[in-house]
Amino acid sequence: MLPPFIKHDVNSRSSNTSVISPPPPSSPKQYSPKHRKPSQSHLHTEMLSLDLGQSRKEKGFYKDKKYFNSRRLSQQQRQSRWLKLLLVVLGLLFIFGYIPFFRFVNNTPETASSWNMRPKSTMVRDQILLYRIIGNDLPPRHKEGQTLSNLQFILDHEPSFPNTRKIFLLNRIIDPINEAAIIRLLDEYNMEYIRVPFVDTEYEKLDFQLEEFPNPDFLHSDDYRRYSKVSKLRVLDYTYHKKNLYAMNNNGGRNTAIQHGRSIPNAKWIMPFDGNCYLSHNGFEEIRTQLERHGRDTKYFIVPMTRLLNNSVLLNNLDERPKTPEEPQIIFRYDSKEEYNLNMRYGRRSKLELLWCLGALENRRLNRPTVPWEPAERAYSKEKGNFKNIGWVFRLFSGNQQQEENKKEASSIRAFNRLLAIQSSLDSLDENLARRHFQHDKLFLYNDRIMNQVRYDYWMKDSEVSSTIQHLEEQADIILEESQKRLEPISSATDKEDGLSFDAVPEKDELGPLSQNVTILTLANYYLGSEKYGRGAANLIRVHFLNEYAVEDEDEYNSARRIPDDSHLLDFLSDQGYSFPSLSRVPRVVPKYSNNRILNTSDLTKTDVSSLLDCIRILRRMQVLTHKEYIDLQAITAEFLEYLVTSPTGIHLAQMTDHRGVLYDLQVTAMAAFTNDVRLFLRVANRCRMRIGKQFTEEGTQPFEESSTRSRLLSSSSSATAADGVKPSIEWRSMLHYETLNLQYWTLLTRGIQNAGIGKDIWHYTAANSGRISHAVVAHLKKYSDALPLLTAGDAAFVKSRLRPLAHVAQAAFKHSHYESNNLNRSESEKESIEADRDWLQRHINDFGKQWDIFEGEDLDESDMEHDILKLMKDDELKGRLGIPPFWMLTSAAT
């Protein structure tokens, strides 16, 4: 129970309070916090005073010896000894009399009464406590700033009421600046308040509710798709349940007021009203009269409410009973048993549930069946019917007239906007907390620490690393030679009169091969330090994404020696202003050969671009892409992202139950990180976990991927092979290919979220059916590890080429999740299973080849290539759609 302090700072996890004393009247705007020890919080100053008699001067104690004779001195000495003895006895009595109080005061509030030597029965409970619970503004339900403006109106115009104590409860105000403004305003008016703080670390421990729906991955189900827009909002609202309960603390704040009121010895009536409630003189007098008349037998009083469209109507002195159709407030007697249900969040019957339990809203039929995932309402209270309707209260204007009118449409608009406001507010809160750690130019799929370590190993002549980078250099040289034959340089822009651009657009590469080429050239520049590779990668991006000409190679010295009059009219200015020396290694402005941006999405839905986006970040760091080009690439990526999120094709891909749905989530998170859309990144990173329970079983199998692969086999079988069935060699290769592809996408998505440093770690997330990504990966690897000794050399090479990247990238995911705290409460069986999987992978990872091995899988037999599905697999390999970034061992695997 909370002690009856003037001002409190209530911690949600403790009953201890820090007291903020009101400022002195002479300086009302000063804010000076003072703290008292909790153990002394119940003591009043008159209780601690002790009369020790008059001072020595008042007794006429003179130090001059000529005024004293020996007789008087002896008499005074005897009196002094008796006085000291008496004081010692009184002191001992005082100490032994009050040791029990100091020992038990926190546990027994009645001690103070017994210490005052007054019988408990003489305590008169007659005071009214009027609480106003002040929360956060939630646009579009509320107008921004309405809480502060309405509080100012209450303090300026609400009358004082007899024998009534007004207390304001600051209920987890998220914005510290807003909270400080409210506190200054309350201090200015010398008002009492209790502060329930919002603690970031407590909120960040909370997670979404994703597993309580009837079907796994419910947000992509047919049932959800058939819901109305409001119904879909209510489904999404439930996923925020725990976050809503903490951040809004709707019923938590009300119960804090009730508990605080019960701890005040002379309080009889507790009014935990909403923060925008206003009581007029006549309205309060009606309430007070009814409390005195019926308060002996009734514990709960219901106060009807009306909504105002303009606060100024309260100033016209027409204090009459209004129509009160709105949700009422509740008054509690100090000995009432009921409180608000802490499991009812804001926007979900938070107050109605208690009104129904008391029998005040039976006509609303709150006991009718609801959706199965929502918390159930409590049964009727034992004190049902012990209530009366009295008085009225005004609800000050929220800032949106359309929502406050007494119409059915207004009620629906309020409910809809309330759901939008709650989710928007919590999304904004999550985003603000995430931005403390998130950086959009930080690598998403690649890992800076791993890449730096590999580069140091290369510089130290590590044989395995050097061999891999030598192979990288060979491939980079081939790509660079081929690309230079096809790309037109800047000088070609002036080949025609008036500097007109080409009539023919350069040939566009497909997204998969383009991504691979840019990746190989970028990594060659990073590890070898040769700028020609980085410039070649940047030119590929300029031509194929920005419609710009390629930048020609020219060293800084020759560029500086060039005679200005020979080149460009304004070149004489190139060594002046803020642009000198150059901020990048290429011209500030690169001409375009076409201003028509072509958004080619045909390949986007099949190709992972996460490694390409990381290479763009690296090229910008190397200054081979200008800042303007980087911004333009972000804009182009934002268009791709918009297409994926809003187009029918993108929405259809999101609903896929096999690897295509996972690739979609990987694409969206990678693009959201690149474009600095943290809110979208968090939304996908959190909701993608709902797929886990659908795609994986407890044993780690992939039933939907298996079913999808079998459908492909049947649909792609030629008439010649259909009668005989699918060859076993084709079937198991297809299963391996697509099941591994699905797991590879999951593993890359995991590494992206881990590297971003925001969002919950999905690697060990356990679904309701006990499915888990990490276990599915290990189960898949186990299956083929056991089969390797039984396979032919060609089949074994094919298996290793597919599984080696998966195994080593998975080990990096295991290491991150092992050393990083993810704040998840796990059962002992889960911990044992996770540790067993990690241990197995550590012991068997080299079954599929070492990290630095360079080899390719065995080619398929020509006879088997007649089957369409194998042609698709070969096509995926040629176009870089295997879910494996080029030279992954240099960027993504643990060293």
Side-chain angles (χ1 to χ4, degrees), residues 152-175:
Q152 180 78 62
F153 186 88
I154 292 172
L155 296 175
D156 285 338
H157 302 293
E158 188 178 69
S160 299
F161 304 123
N163 198 27
T164 301
R165 183 173 165 187
K166 296 182 180 180
I167 303 174
F168 293 84
L169 191 146
L170 278 60
N171 191 25
R172 292 196 177 137
I173 307 298
I174 296 171
D175 183 0

PDB file of all heavy atoms in Angstrom, residues 152-175:
ATOM      1  N   GLN A 152      -4.440  22.365 -18.169  1.00  0.00           N
ATOM      2  CA  GLN A 152      -4.425  23.798 -17.880  1.00  0.00           C
ATOM      3  C   GLN A 152      -5.838  24.310 -17.635  1.00  0.00           C
ATOM      4  O   GLN A 152      -6.074  25.112 -16.711  1.00  0.00           O
ATOM      5  CB  GLN A 152      -3.804  24.546 -19.057  1.00  0.00           C
ATOM      6  CG  GLN A 152      -3.733  26.053 -18.894  1.00  0.00           C
ATOM      7  CD  GLN A 152      -2.606  26.489 -18.002  1.00  0.00           C
ATOM      8  OE1 GLN A 152      -1.452  26.257 -18.307  1.00  0.00           O
ATOM      9  NE2 GLN A 152      -2.939  27.120 -16.887  1.00  0.00           N
ATOM     10  N   PHE A 153      -6.800  23.850 -18.431  1.00  0.00           N
ATOM     11  CA  PHE A 153      -8.192  24.275 -18.266  1.00  0.00           C
ATOM     12  C   PHE A 153      -8.738  23.827 -16.905  1.00  0.00           C
ATOM     13  O   PHE A 153      -9.418  24.609 -16.217  1.00  0.00           O
ATOM     14  CB  PHE A 153      -9.042  23.691 -19.397  1.00  0.00           C
ATOM     15  CG  PHE A 153     -10.465  24.169 -19.404  1.00  0.00           C
ATOM     16  CD1 PHE A 153     -10.808  25.318 -20.078  1.00  0.00           C
ATOM     17  CD2 PHE A 153     -11.456  23.473 -18.720  1.00  0.00           C
ATOM     18  CE1 PHE A 153     -12.131  25.768 -20.082  1.00  0.00           C
ATOM     19  CE2 PHE A 153     -12.756  23.908 -18.710  1.00  0.00           C
ATOM     20  CZ  PHE A 153     -13.105  25.067 -19.393  1.00  0.00           C
ATOM     21  N   ILE A 154      -8.441  22.609 -16.506  1.00  0.00           N
ATOM     22  CA  ILE A 154      -8.910  22.114 -15.205  1.00  0.00           C
ATOM     23  C   ILE A 154      -8.331  22.944 -14.070  1.00  0.00           C
ATOM     24  O   ILE A 154      -9.043  23.358 -13.139  1.00  0.00           O
ATOM     25  CB  ILE A 154      -8.537  20.634 -15.043  1.00  0.00           C
ATOM     26  CG1 ILE A 154      -9.339  19.765 -16.014  1.00  0.00           C
ATOM     27  CG2 ILE A 154      -8.773  20.163 -13.610  1.00  0.00           C
ATOM     28  CD1 ILE A 154      -8.901  18.313 -16.049  1.00  0.00           C
ATOM     29  N   LEU A 155      -7.037  23.209 -14.124  1.00  0.00           N
ATOM     30  CA  LEU A 155      -6.388  23.958 -13.045  1.00  0.00           C
ATOM     31  C   LEU A 155      -6.889  25.400 -12.991  1.00  0.00           C
ATOM     32  O   LEU A 155      -6.953  25.992 -11.908  1.00  0.00           O
ATOM     33  CB  LEU A 155      -4.875  23.934 -13.241  1.00  0.00           C
ATOM     34  CG  LEU A 155      -4.213  22.556 -13.153  1.00  0.00           C
ATOM     35  CD1 LEU A 155      -2.734  22.642 -13.479  1.00  0.00           C
ATOM     36  CD2 LEU A 155      -4.424  21.936 -11.778  1.00  0.00           C
ATOM     37  N   ASP A 156      -7.233  25.954 -14.144  1.00  0.00           N
ATOM     38  CA  ASP A 156      -7.697  27.349 -14.181  1.00  0.00           C
ATOM     39  C   ASP A 156      -9.146  27.498 -13.743  1.00  0.00           C
ATOM     40  O   ASP A 156      -9.499  28.500 -13.099  1.00  0.00           O
ATOM     41  CB  ASP A 156      -7.543  27.916 -15.593  1.00  0.00           C
ATOM     42  CG  ASP A 156      -6.099  28.229 -15.943  1.00  0.00           C
ATOM     43  OD1 ASP A 156      -5.295  28.401 -15.011  1.00  0.00           O
ATOM     44  OD2 ASP A 156      -5.783  28.303 -17.147  1.00  0.00           O
ATOM     45  N   HIS A 157      -9.986  26.524 -14.055  1.00  0.00           N
ATOM     46  CA  HIS A 157     -11.428  26.765 -13.950  1.00  0.00           C
ATOM     47  C   HIS A 157     -12.178  25.801 -13.029  1.00  0.00           C
ATOM     48  O   HIS A 157     -13.284  26.144 -12.589  1.00  0.00           O
ATOM     49  CB  HIS A 157     -12.062  26.711 -15.342  1.00  0.00           C
ATOM     50  CG  HIS A 157     -11.484  27.696 -16.309  1.00  0.00           C
ATOM     51  ND1 HIS A 157     -11.640  29.057 -16.168  1.00  0.00           N
ATOM     52  CD2 HIS A 157     -10.717  27.509 -17.427  1.00  0.00           C
ATOM     53  CE1 HIS A 157     -11.019  29.688 -17.165  1.00  0.00           C
ATOM     54  NE2 HIS A 157     -10.445  28.760 -17.943  1.00  0.00           N
ATOM     55  N   GLU A 158     -11.669  24.636 -12.758  1.00  0.00           N
ATOM     56  CA  GLU A 158     -12.427  23.715 -11.904  1.00  0.00           C
ATOM     57  C   GLU A 158     -12.442  24.246 -10.467  1.00  0.00           C
ATOM     58  O   GLU A 158     -11.381  24.577  -9.915  1.00  0.00           O
ATOM     59  CB  GLU A 158     -11.814  22.327 -11.938  1.00  0.00           C
ATOM     60  CG  GLU A 158     -12.671  21.288 -11.222  1.00  0.00           C
ATOM     61  CD  GLU A 158     -12.073  19.893 -11.304  1.00  0.00           C
ATOM     62  OE1 GLU A 158     -11.019  19.673 -10.682  1.00  0.00           O
ATOM     63  OE2 GLU A 158     -12.665  19.037 -11.991  1.00  0.00           O
ATOM     64  N   PRO A 159     -13.631  24.327  -9.849  1.00  0.00           N
ATOM     65  CA  PRO A 159     -13.703  24.879  -8.481  1.00  0.00           C
ATOM     66  C   PRO A 159     -13.099  23.925  -7.459  1.00  0.00           C
ATOM     67  O   PRO A 159     -12.910  22.735  -7.723  1.00  0.00           O
ATOM     68  CB  PRO A 159     -15.205  25.045  -8.255  1.00  0.00           C
ATOM     69  CG  PRO A 159     -15.847  24.061  -9.176  1.00  0.00           C
ATOM     70  CD  PRO A 159     -14.952  23.967 -10.378  1.00  0.00           C
ATOM     71  N   SER A 160     -12.767  24.477  -6.292  1.00  0.00           N
ATOM     72  CA  SER A 160     -12.350  23.644  -5.163  1.00  0.00           C
ATOM     73  C   SER A 160     -13.589  23.049  -4.518  1.00  0.00           C
ATOM     74  O   SER A 160     -14.655  23.672  -4.487  1.00  0.00           O
ATOM     75  CB  SER A 160     -11.574  24.481  -4.146  1.00  0.00           C
ATOM     76  OG  SER A 160     -10.410  25.025  -4.740  1.00  0.00           O
ATOM     77  N   PHE A 161     -13.443  21.844  -3.971  1.00  0.00           N
ATOM     78  CA  PHE A 161     -14.579  21.145  -3.377  1.00  0.00           C
ATOM     79  C   PHE A 161     -14.295  20.893  -1.902  1.00  0.00           C
ATOM     80  O   PHE A 161     -13.148  20.601  -1.511  1.00  0.00           O
ATOM     81  CB  PHE A 161     -14.823  19.811  -4.106  1.00  0.00           C
ATOM     82  CG  PHE A 161     -15.022  19.962  -5.584  1.00  0.00           C
ATOM     83  CD1 PHE A 161     -14.211  19.292  -6.490  1.00  0.00           C
ATOM     84  CD2 PHE A 161     -16.020  20.783  -6.089  1.00  0.00           C
ATOM     85  CE1 PHE A 161     -14.381  19.430  -7.851  1.00  0.00           C
ATOM     86  CE2 PHE A 161     -16.211  20.926  -7.456  1.00  0.00           C
ATOM     87  CZ  PHE A 161     -15.386  20.248  -8.344  1.00  0.00           C
ATOM     88  N   PRO A 162     -15.322  20.986  -1.070  1.00  0.00           N
ATOM     89  CA  PRO A 162     -15.110  20.811   0.372  1.00  0.00           C
ATOM     90  C   PRO A 162     -14.679  19.383   0.716  1.00  0.00           C
ATOM     91  O   PRO A 162     -15.176  18.417   0.138  1.00  0.00           O
ATOM     92  CB  PRO A 162     -16.482  21.140   0.973  1.00  0.00           C
ATOM     93  CG  PRO A 162     -17.460  20.922  -0.138  1.00  0.00           C
ATOM     94  CD  PRO A 162     -16.733  21.287  -1.388  1.00  0.00           C
ATOM     95  N   ASN A 163     -13.738  19.303   1.656  1.00  0.00           N
ATOM     96  CA  ASN A 163     -13.260  18.026   2.185  1.00  0.00           C
ATOM     97  C   ASN A 163     -12.829  17.077   1.063  1.00  0.00           C
ATOM     98  O   ASN A 163     -13.042  15.871   1.118  1.00  0.00           O
ATOM     99  CB  ASN A 163     -14.348  17.355   3.037  1.00  0.00           C
ATOM    100  CG  ASN A 163     -13.770  16.277   3.938  1.00  0.00           C
ATOM    101  OD1 ASN A 163     -12.604  16.335   4.315  1.00  0.00           O
ATOM    102  ND2 ASN A 163     -14.582  15.286   4.270  1.00  0.00           N
ATOM    103  N   THR A 164     -12.247  17.640   0.014  1.00  0.00           N
ATOM    104  CA  THR A 164     -11.828  16.859  -1.160  1.00  0.00           C
ATOM    105  C   THR A 164     -10.363  17.165  -1.477  1.00  0.00           C
ATOM    106  O   THR A 164      -9.950  18.322  -1.505  1.00  0.00           O
ATOM    107  CB  THR A 164     -12.698  17.199  -2.381  1.00  0.00           C
ATOM    108  OG1 THR A 164     -14.058  16.907  -2.077  1.00  0.00           O
ATOM    109  CG2 THR A 164     -12.268  16.383  -3.593  1.00  0.00           C
ATOM    110  N   ARG A 165      -9.621  16.132  -1.692  1.00  0.00           N
ATOM    111  CA  ARG A 165      -8.200  16.265  -1.993  1.00  0.00           C
ATOM    112  C   ARG A 165      -7.976  15.855  -3.450  1.00  0.00           C
ATOM    113  O   ARG A 165      -8.302  14.739  -3.846  1.00  0.00           O
ATOM    114  CB  ARG A 165      -7.413  15.364  -1.051  1.00  0.00           C
ATOM    115  CG  ARG A 165      -5.909  15.431  -1.164  1.00  0.00           C
ATOM    116  CD  ARG A 165      -5.318  14.604  -0.036  1.00  0.00           C
ATOM    117  NE  ARG A 165      -3.906  14.313  -0.254  1.00  0.00           N
ATOM    118  CZ  ARG A 165      -3.204  13.492   0.515  1.00  0.00           C
ATOM    119  NH1 ARG A 165      -3.784  12.884   1.541  1.00  0.00           N
ATOM    120  NH2 ARG A 165      -1.922  13.284   0.267  1.00  0.00           N
ATOM    121  N   LYS A 166      -7.449  16.771  -4.259  1.00  0.00           N
ATOM    122  CA  LYS A 166      -7.197  16.511  -5.673  1.00  0.00           C
ATOM    123  C   LYS A 166      -5.767  16.022  -5.859  1.00  0.00           C
ATOM    124  O   LYS A 166      -4.809  16.669  -5.418  1.00  0.00           O
ATOM    125  CB  LYS A 166      -7.433  17.759  -6.511  1.00  0.00           C
ATOM    126  CG  LYS A 166      -8.874  18.259  -6.516  1.00  0.00           C
ATOM    127  CD  LYS A 166      -9.007  19.464  -7.421  1.00  0.00           C
ATOM    128  CE  LYS A 166     -10.440  19.981  -7.427  1.00  0.00           C
ATOM    129  NZ  LYS A 166     -10.599  21.166  -8.311  1.00  0.00           N
ATOM    130  N   ILE A 167      -5.639  14.895  -6.540  1.00  0.00           N
ATOM    131  CA  ILE A 167      -4.326  14.307  -6.799  1.00  0.00           C
ATOM    132  C   ILE A 167      -4.270  13.910  -8.272  1.00  0.00           C
ATOM    133  O   ILE A 167      -5.209  13.300  -8.794  1.00  0.00           O
ATOM    134  CB  ILE A 167      -4.070  13.073  -5.911  1.00  0.00           C
ATOM    135  CG1 ILE A 167      -4.196  13.430  -4.427  1.00  0.00           C
ATOM    136  CG2 ILE A 167      -2.696  12.473  -6.197  1.00  0.00           C
ATOM    137  CD1 ILE A 167      -4.110  12.234  -3.490  1.00  0.00           C
ATOM    138  N   PHE A 168      -3.179  14.244  -8.934  1.00  0.00           N
ATOM    139  CA  PHE A 168      -2.988  13.901 -10.344  1.00  0.00           C
ATOM    140  C   PHE A 168      -1.979  12.762 -10.433  1.00  0.00           C
ATOM    141  O   PHE A 168      -0.941  12.792  -9.766  1.00  0.00           O
ATOM    142  CB  PHE A 168      -2.518  15.106 -11.133  1.00  0.00           C
ATOM    143  CG  PHE A 168      -3.550  16.188 -11.234  1.00  0.00           C
ATOM    144  CD1 PHE A 168      -3.698  17.131 -10.214  1.00  0.00           C
ATOM    145  CD2 PHE A 168      -4.399  16.247 -12.320  1.00  0.00           C
ATOM    146  CE1 PHE A 168      -4.659  18.117 -10.292  1.00  0.00           C
ATOM    147  CE2 PHE A 168      -5.370  17.236 -12.402  1.00  0.00           C
ATOM    148  CZ  PHE A 168      -5.499  18.169 -11.392  1.00  0.00           C
ATOM    149  N   LEU A 169      -2.308  11.764 -11.247  1.00  0.00           N
ATOM    150  CA  LEU A 169      -1.434  10.599 -11.416  1.00  0.00           C
ATOM    151  C   LEU A 169      -0.858  10.617 -12.823  1.00  0.00           C
ATOM    152  O   LEU A 169      -1.595  10.484 -13.801  1.00  0.00           O
ATOM    153  CB  LEU A 169      -2.218   9.311 -11.159  1.00  0.00           C
ATOM    154  CG  LEU A 169      -1.377   8.030 -11.047  1.00  0.00           C
ATOM    155  CD1 LEU A 169      -2.012   7.075 -10.033  1.00  0.00           C
ATOM    156  CD2 LEU A 169      -1.241   7.314 -12.384  1.00  0.00           C
ATOM    157  N   LEU A 170       0.458  10.812 -12.926  1.00  0.00           N
ATOM    158  CA  LEU A 170       1.149  10.835 -14.218  1.00  0.00           C
ATOM    159  C   LEU A 170       1.472   9.388 -14.597  1.00  0.00           C
ATOM    160  O   LEU A 170       2.366   8.763 -14.021  1.00  0.00           O
ATOM    161  CB  LEU A 170       2.429  11.665 -14.123  1.00  0.00           C
ATOM    162  CG  LEU A 170       2.270  13.183 -14.254  1.00  0.00           C
ATOM    163  CD1 LEU A 170       1.369  13.734 -13.160  1.00  0.00           C
ATOM    164  CD2 LEU A 170       3.622  13.872 -14.191  1.00  0.00           C
ATOM    165  N   ASN A 171       0.713   8.891 -15.564  1.00  0.00           N
ATOM    166  CA  ASN A 171       0.692   7.462 -15.842  1.00  0.00           C
ATOM    167  C   ASN A 171       1.589   7.102 -17.022  1.00  0.00           C
ATOM    168  O   ASN A 171       1.178   7.121 -18.172  1.00  0.00           O
ATOM    169  CB  ASN A 171      -0.755   7.017 -16.120  1.00  0.00           C
ATOM    170  CG  ASN A 171      -0.902   5.521 -16.167  1.00  0.00           C
ATOM    171  OD1 ASN A 171      -0.111   4.782 -15.582  1.00  0.00           O
ATOM    172  ND2 ASN A 171      -1.925   5.057 -16.865  1.00  0.00           N
ATOM    173  N   ARG A 172       2.846   6.802 -16.737  1.00  0.00           N
ATOM    174  CA  ARG A 172       3.823   6.349 -17.736  1.00  0.00           C
ATOM    175  C   ARG A 172       3.854   7.264 -18.957  1.00  0.00           C
ATOM    176  O   ARG A 172       3.635   6.818 -20.093  1.00  0.00           O
ATOM    177  CB  ARG A 172       3.579   4.897 -18.128  1.00  0.00           C
ATOM    178  CG  ARG A 172       3.887   3.962 -16.971  1.00  0.00           C
ATOM    179  CD  ARG A 172       4.041   2.515 -17.365  1.00  0.00           C
ATOM    180  NE  ARG A 172       4.412   1.747 -16.175  1.00  0.00           N
ATOM    181  CZ  ARG A 172       3.925   0.574 -15.840  1.00  0.00           C
ATOM    182  NH1 ARG A 172       3.058  -0.013 -16.624  1.00  0.00           N
ATOM    183  NH2 ARG A 172       4.322  -0.049 -14.742  1.00  0.00           N
ATOM    184  N   ILE A 173       4.129   8.537 -18.713  1.00  0.00           N
ATOM    185  CA  ILE A 173       4.303   9.485 -19.809  1.00  0.00           C
ATOM    186  C   ILE A 173       5.599   9.124 -20.522  1.00  0.00           C
ATOM    187  O   ILE A 173       6.676   9.123 -19.928  1.00  0.00           O
ATOM    188  CB  ILE A 173       4.357  10.931 -19.283  1.00  0.00           C
ATOM    189  CG1 ILE A 173       3.122  11.224 -18.403  1.00  0.00           C
ATOM    190  CG2 ILE A 173       4.429  11.904 -20.447  1.00  0.00           C
ATOM    191  CD1 ILE A 173       1.814  11.116 -19.110  1.00  0.00           C
ATOM    192  N   ILE A 174       5.511   8.828 -21.815  1.00  0.00           N
ATOM    193  CA  ILE A 174       6.664   8.316 -22.561  1.00  0.00           C
ATOM    194  C   ILE A 174       7.663   9.424 -22.879  1.00  0.00           C
ATOM    195  O   ILE A 174       8.872   9.241 -22.732  1.00  0.00           O
ATOM    196  CB  ILE A 174       6.184   7.615 -23.843  1.00  0.00           C
ATOM    197  CG1 ILE A 174       5.344   6.387 -23.481  1.00  0.00           C
ATOM    198  CG2 ILE A 174       7.358   7.220 -24.719  1.00  0.00           C
ATOM    199  CD1 ILE A 174       4.649   5.751 -24.670  1.00  0.00           C
ATOM    200  N   ASP A 175       7.155  10.582 -23.291  1.00  0.00           N
ATOM    201  CA  ASP A 175       8.028  11.685 -23.682  1.00  0.00           C
ATOM    202  C   ASP A 175       8.475  12.439 -22.434  1.00  0.00           C
ATOM    203  O   ASP A 175       7.654  13.058 -21.755  1.00  0.00           O
ATOM    204  CB  ASP A 175       7.281  12.623 -24.626  1.00  0.00           C
ATOM    205  CG  ASP A 175       8.155  13.749 -25.138  1.00  0.00           C
ATOM    206  OD1 ASP A 175       9.341  13.799 -24.764  1.00  0.00           O
ATOM    207  OD2 ASP A 175       7.651  14.582 -25.918  1.00  0.00           O
TER     208      ASP A 175
END
